[in-house]
Amino acid sequence: MALNEIHCCLPEAVEARLCGIGDRRAFASRAIREGEVMLQNQPLAYALLGDHRLDRCAYCLSTAVATNGVDPNPKLLRCSRCQQARYCSRDCQKLDFPYHKIECQESNLLYGTDDKTIFAPDLLDHDNNDARLLVRTFLACQKHPEQCFVSKDNSSFSSTCCGSEHFQNLAMTDNDEHHGIIVDNHGRDQANRASKAIWNQRRALQKMSTTSNAKPIPNRLSDLQDQMEQDLKRFRCNNFGITDSLVRVCASGVYPLGALLNHSCTPNCLLRYVFGKHRSPYMQVVAARDIQQGEELTHSYTELVVPTNSRRAKLKSLYGFNCQCPRCDPTGNDTRCFFQLPATYKTMKSTDLVRWILQHYNPFVQGTDRVERMTSLQMEQIVKPLSDSHAVKVAQHNLETAQLCLVNGSIQNELKALQEAVKVLEKASELDEPSSLGAISSPELYKARGDRLGSLIVAGQWAEAVNECEYIVAFLCLALHNVTNHALLGLQLFTLGDLYESNGCLSEAKLVFQWASKVLHVSHGPDNDMTKMLIEKGN
Ligand SMILES: C[S@@+](CC[C@H](N)C(=O)[O-])C[C@H]1O[C@@H](n2cnc3c(N)ncnc32)[C@H](O)[C@@H]1O
């Protein structure tokens, strides 16, 4: 099978079914093992987001820079015509040209500037990523109109491709069906920019159109605008944030096969993106745990380390549905949504509880299966919003102060502000949860600790950094108890292992590296550089 086909066809492990009017879902057609990649998908189109445009290749998305072997500070190459798109090599520039050509001609509309001599970073705030993605999708649909698609009214489809027809069949939220998802002013502006750009270039496009099946460009600009608005609605509920190895969203993309999967806050699949030299980033859907034949395949559309109400509100406003997954159901008794602590946790010191969690949840620590009285707590007991809104505001103010200190290069003041933020949130959290768990609970505290950890590492305060990192890992173990191979946990474990190593705690470091390596094997894949590094460190 050609590479393109492998990535565009629905594989044998996945079965698509129609479960209601216009509701396609994916199911496991056989048992799938944890870590198995069950679906791969090439993007139909993708576009870099925000200031990632400054330091990533627009085609392969790598941060690798072009080098001529002479320049000691090589930079990404810029498109010499529009000065906006950047590439790591001439090869990537050539491969991207079929999608970049309209952007290049219409850079004023699609990048927001008509001054070709300057790159316009100040305009990145008003990112035109949606408009560029609309144009790129339009071009991809012109290029691949012949490919077959996942049909909405045929429940026995098995071989599907992700051409334009498939894109047309992606779920589309609209006002009537989904109570309030509308294209807002920004969206309308993006759709208008994209349609004007295509309209301006329509003659050239008609000439260049290589296949007779290519969808004709509408005869009126207003029809093209309507079409772009419809496409934008498709984007809203089907697009993906493309993440790099550090789980930073750097681009958004259209992956029609990946878009078959519905959401769950207790997902059995994880998504990862594979970047490669002179290649577009492709998506892999990987089993987060063992999956039984016939189980529905789901991934999470939203951040999982946030309280139920926030997750549900976000899913409702962005995707138009009320999540009814086992984690959102308050009466649910799915064991995955409960974590275990020693029955005596209320009388333990928080440092002891953190230590216990790090030992007990690490699959490589021997002897944690000794009989001990345990208590089961619902995940929402740790991932809950703080009730003291004043404390949250004070902490927020301190976090903003820390940001300013970061910009001004004053690390001591930055650390002071961050310590204050953590202190305030810890106190508020302990009032909500008057036990050792209080010092670990709450997403706000976790985020502030994350900021503080970053600054402690920069300041080289290793002992304090270890302490902060242990609390973060303990929180993630409990907060992601239902997705134990989550990338966030894996990355924090990596940091914790490095910190143990820096503090000379080599045996602790080894056990944590082994754990991190197990998680990254699933979240990032065995071929990822970080996974390979961890395997070595854990040996
Ligand atoms: C990427 S699509 C998923 C596939 C979709 N079911 C289809 O037929 O194309 C996203 C849309 O699917 C629906 N959806 C996804 N997860 C859902 C869930 N857990 N409950 C209800 N609807 C869901 C929503 O309409 C959402 O906007």
Side-chain angles (χ1 to χ4, degrees):
M1 236 194 275
L3 184 79
N4 206 33
E5 275 177 72
I6 294 172
H7 293 147
C8 293
C9 291
L10 205 58
E12 43 75 46
V14 182
E15 188 192 329
R17 291 189 209 149
L18 200 67
C19 297
I21 300 167
D23 183 15
R24 306 161 316 154
R25 291 171 182 227
F27 293 83
S29 51
R30 59 164 170 79
I32 298 168
R33 295 300 303 266
E34 174 180 299
E36 187 179 331
V37 174
M38 68 195 86
L39 195 156
Q40 309 205 80
N41 198 189
Q42 291 279 25
L44 181 66
Y46 55 100
L48 278 169
L49 269 169
D51 51 9
H52 290 283
R53 260 202 311 125
L54 299 174
D55 54 16
R56 285 182 189 267
C57 171
Y59 188 70
C60 70
L61 308 193
S62 80
T63 47
V65 286
T67 173
N68 54 16
V70 182
D71 189 347
N73 296 309
K75 292 192 175 86
L76 288 168
L77 305 166
R78 279 196 211 178
C79 169
S80 58
R81 197 187 167 283
C82 69
Q83 296 288 326
Q84 302 299 325
R86 297 182 171 207
Y87 297 99
C88 68
S89 61
R90 294 267 170 243
D91 285 340
C92 274
Q93 182 169 22
K94 270 191 214 147
L95 287 163
D96 195 46
F97 186 69
Y99 304 97
H100 174 61
K101 60 191 175 193
I102 293 192
E103 291 170 355
C104 195
Q105 297 286 342
E106 301 293 331
S107 60
N108 52 337
L109 282 167
L110 298 174
Y111 288 102
T113 174
D114 53 2
D115 183 346
K116 304 199 173 35
T117 60
I118 53 151
F119 185 77
D122 51 324
L123 290 167
L124 289 170
D125 284 347
H126 313 286
D127 191 33
N128 289 317
N129 161 283
D130 271 339
R132 290 199 306 281
L133 190 57
L134 281 166
V135 169
R136 282 173 173 256
T137 305
F138 178 89
L139 291 171
C141 291
Q142 295 280 106
K143 231 169 119 90
H144 306 291
E146 69 292 350
Q147 294 189 2
C148 57
F149 55 95
V150 177
S151 157
K152 279 223 166 212
D153 42 35
N154 172 4
S155 54
S156 61
F157 37 83
S158 58
S159 171
T160 53
C161 293
C162 53
S164 64
E165 293 281 16
H166 188 154
F167 172 69
Q168 299 306 337
N169 280 284
L170 292 177
M172 183 168 71
T173 55
D174 60 38
N175 220 357
D176 303 334
E177 273 178 48
H178 290 276
H179 321 292
I181 292 186
I182 46 167
V183 173
D184 59 10
N185 286 342
H186 173 73
R188 198 156 297 119
D189 173 58
Q190 293 292 296
N192 286 345
R193 282 171 186 269
S195 33
K196 272 190 208 140
I198 294 167
W199 185 255
N200 294 345
Q201 296 298 318
R202 65 191 182 286
R203 292 213 172 76
L205 279 171
Q206 272 150 357
K207 256 192 234 154
M208 275 189 280
S209 170
T210 46
T211 62
S212 54
N213 294 342
K215 213 171 151 192
I217 298 170
N219 287 329
R220 289 190 315 205
L221 176 59
S222 59
D223 292 345
L224 190 55
Q225 278 164 341
D226 286 348
Q227 189 183 321
M228 290 295 125
E229 272 196 32
Q230 298 304 311
D231 287 356
L232 201 60
K233 284 182 183 171
R234 278 194 186 88
F235 283 7
R236 292 282 188 257
C237 57
N238 291 288
N239 273 9
F240 294 88
I242 302 176
T243 48
D244 66 6
S245 286
L246 297 176
V247 206
R248 292 175 300 204
V249 179
C250 57
S252 54
V254 180
Y255 290 90
L257 288 188
L260 263 180
L261 272 68
N262 265 11
H263 161 88
S264 170
C265 304
T266 302
N268 52 16
C269 298
L270 293 168
L271 304 184
R272 60 188 190 216
Y273 297 88
V274 184
F275 294 10
K277 216 173 172 190
H278 315 322
R279 238 186 16 208
S280 46
Y282 63 91
M283 170 197 280
Q284 292 187 326
V285 179
V286 59
R289 55 170 171 79
D290 288 347
I291 299 173
Q292 289 173 10
Q293 180 176 4
E295 253 188 82
E296 185 183 352
L297 301 174
T298 54
H299 72 95
S300 175
Y301 293 6
T302 188
E303 241 188 297
L304 286 176
V305 190
V306 291
T308 300
N309 284 350
S310 321
R311 292 196 315 274
R312 283 172 64 89
K314 198 159 177 192
L315 291 165
K316 177 74 180 164
S317 73
L318 290 179
Y319 301 95
F321 66 89
N322 292 314
C323 188
Q324 284 167 342
C325 76
R327 191 174 159 192
C328 286
D329 174 5
T331 61
N333 54 6
D334 188 314
T335 51
R336 287 193 189 92
C337 302
F338 287 83
F339 60 82
Q340 301 232 302
L341 290 185
T344 53
Y345 81 93
K346 285 192 177 167
T347 54
M348 285 169 91
K349 281 201 329 209
S350 67
T351 43
D352 291 340
L353 183 63
V354 166
R355 285 263 135 178
W356 184 91
I357 293 169
L358 295 183
Q359 298 274 309
H360 187 84
Y361 284 84
N362 185 342
F364 295 89
V365 173
Q366 306 288 317
T368 52
D369 50 358
R370 66 185 178 275
V371 186
E372 187 168 2
R373 257 189 357 106
M374 297 282 207
T375 185
S376 279
L377 299 174
Q378 224 169 11
M379 284 171 61
E380 302 320 290
Q381 186 140 353
I382 183 153
V383 191
K384 59 185 176 191
L386 290 175
S387 52
D388 185 346
S389 55
H390 176 68
V392 173
K393 265 193 207 143
V394 173
Q396 188 54 37
H397 176 72
N398 277 300
L399 293 173
E400 282 161 16
T401 307
Q403 279 291 327
L404 285 177
C405 297
L406 175 75
V407 175
N408 300 334
S410 158
I411 186 80
Q412 287 315 322
N413 289 342
E414 184 188 329
L415 281 170
K416 218 168 124 194
L418 288 168
Q419 190 173 5
E420 194 51 35
V422 170
K423 216 167 90 189
V424 169
L425 291 171
E426 215 171 37
K427 215 165 152 199
S429 178
E430 280 165 355
L431 282 176
D432 283 353
E433 175 62 55
S435 75
S436 50
L437 201 53
I440 305 170
S441 306
S442 116
E444 289 98 336
L445 181 53
Y446 152 72
K447 288 205 168 112
R449 285 195 192 284
D451 285 1
R452 178 159 187 257
L453 173 61
S455 303
L456 287 168
I457 291 175
V458 171
Q461 297 190 15
W462 307 122
E464 200 47 21
V466 166
N467 188 38
E468 206 64 289
C469 195
E470 286 182 336
Y471 273 80
I472 292 173
V473 169
F475 172 78
L476 288 176
C477 282
L478 309 184
L480 292 171
H481 183 62
N482 59 345
V483 202
T484 50
N485 291 309
H486 200 286
L488 283 183
L489 175 63
L491 292 173
Q492 279 302 345
L493 285 169
F494 199 154
T495 307
L496 184 60
D498 277 343
L499 288 169
Y500 280 148
E501 214 172 43
S502 310
N503 277 303
C505 308
L506 300 186
S507 53
E508 271 116 328
K510 189 171 165 177
L511 286 169
V512 168
F513 283 138
Q514 287 173 332
W515 183 7
S517 143
K518 179 189 172 291
V519 176
L520 259 71
H521 194 88
V522 177
S523 65
H524 287 61
D527 297 330
N528 182 274
D529 287 344
M530 286 199 289
T531 313
K532 287 183 190 158
M533 230 187 279
L534 280 166
I535 292 172
E536 255 179 46
K537 281 172 176 273
N539 279 333

